Amino acid sequence: CANDRDLVRSQPLSFPGRADASVPPFPSSSVDGGRAAVMFDRFRGVLPKAVGEGTHFLIPVVQNPTIYDIRTAPKNIQTSTGTMDLQQVNLTLRVLYRPNVDKLAEIHMNLGPDYAERVLPSIGNEVLKATVAQFNADQLLTRREEVSRAVSAALRNRSEDFNIILEDVAITHLTFGHEYSRAIEAKQ
């Protein structure tokens, strides 16, 4: 996030009983609630453990924090794919995700701060296309709960490879191609 730098503040260090107000500030990183920081150290590289909320001391010029939002966030994934009977279907999938905090340093090294934008659309499309191809168009409507469970299980397994935890997965929108829609209307 561009505003992550605003979350890192230099806190003045105060000593009770001292009369002089010219105590230089001691560099520290303040991590707000619902966030965690991955620390880059110029000598040791990315430190393996992310630091949670609170104020943390850092060495100026040597250490640099990157703040991650670790709260659950929504992501919509849209795709167009074919069913087993070759009907075109448009789907929208809503995913509630968060990073695995214990693996945040690994996420930072391998994917970066925009990990969700890099990973979720591609694995979402992959799973939706593979799962929908196992069903006929009419089965998508009559067995929607089964389709949703299959998509959810496959997507959760796939996202674990990238240290992303999925809290909820739901198919929110499902429409068919024009030819199939016209054929259904003609039947009625």
Side-chain angles (χ1 to χ4, degrees):
C1 258
N3 296 336
D4 288 345
R5 295 281 177 221
D6 299 337
L7 298 172
V8 179
R9 300 185 267 286
S10 181
Q11 306 287 336
L13 188 64
S14 63
F15 297 99
R18 286 198 59 167
D20 64 336
S22 62
V23 177
F26 192 87
S28 64
S29 169
S30 181
V31 181
D32 294 334
R35 298 181 186 269
V38 174
M39 196 67 70
F40 175 75
D41 186 302
R42 294 198 192 283
F43 299 114
R44 297 181 288 173
V46 175
L47 301 183
K49 189 168 184 332
V51 294
E53 57 191 58
T55 301
H56 308 279
F57 297 109
L58 58 91
I59 303 168
V61 182
V62 175
Q63 292 180 323
N64 184 29
T66 302
I67 308 292
Y68 282 85
D69 190 348
I70 58 172
R71 296 172 291 193
T72 301
K75 176 80 177 153
N76 286 329
I77 302 166
Q78 295 179 344
T79 192
S80 181
T81 187
T83 61
M84 187 164 49
D85 55 354
L86 303 177
Q87 297 298 325
Q88 195 66 20
V89 63
N90 299 313
L91 293 154
T92 301
L93 189 70
R94 184 192 43 85
V95 177
L96 295 177
Y97 71 94
R98 64 182 172 85
N100 183 344
V101 179
D102 296 332
K103 303 282 187 171
L104 201 54
E106 192 175 319
I107 291 172
H108 180 72
M109 288 187 296
N110 296 331
L111 301 170
D114 59 345
Y115 67 94
E117 290 299 320
R118 289 177 174 220
V119 172
L120 290 177
S122 61
I123 66 173
N125 280 328
E126 172 190 329
V127 166
L128 278 171
K129 288 176 187 260
T131 305
V132 169
Q134 299 171 7
F135 295 91
N136 288 329
D138 61 331
Q139 290 174 328
L140 288 178
L141 295 173
T142 59
R143 298 166 54 188
R144 187 171 177 152
E145 192 62 37
E146 182 183 338
V147 174
S148 187
R149 277 195 305 271
V151 168
S152 178
L155 195 55
R156 286 175 201 268
N157 287 339
R158 193 75 177 94
S159 68
E160 285 176 3
D161 296 340
F162 299 96
N163 300 310
I164 298 173
I165 298 169
L166 300 183
E167 300 287 337
D168 187 43
V169 177
I171 296 174
T172 59
H173 188 70
L174 185 137
T175 58
F176 293 99
H178 297 297
E179 295 83 25
Y180 188 76
S181 298
R182 276 190 235 131
I184 289 179
E185 287 173 9
K187 275 185 173 181
Q188 295 174 354

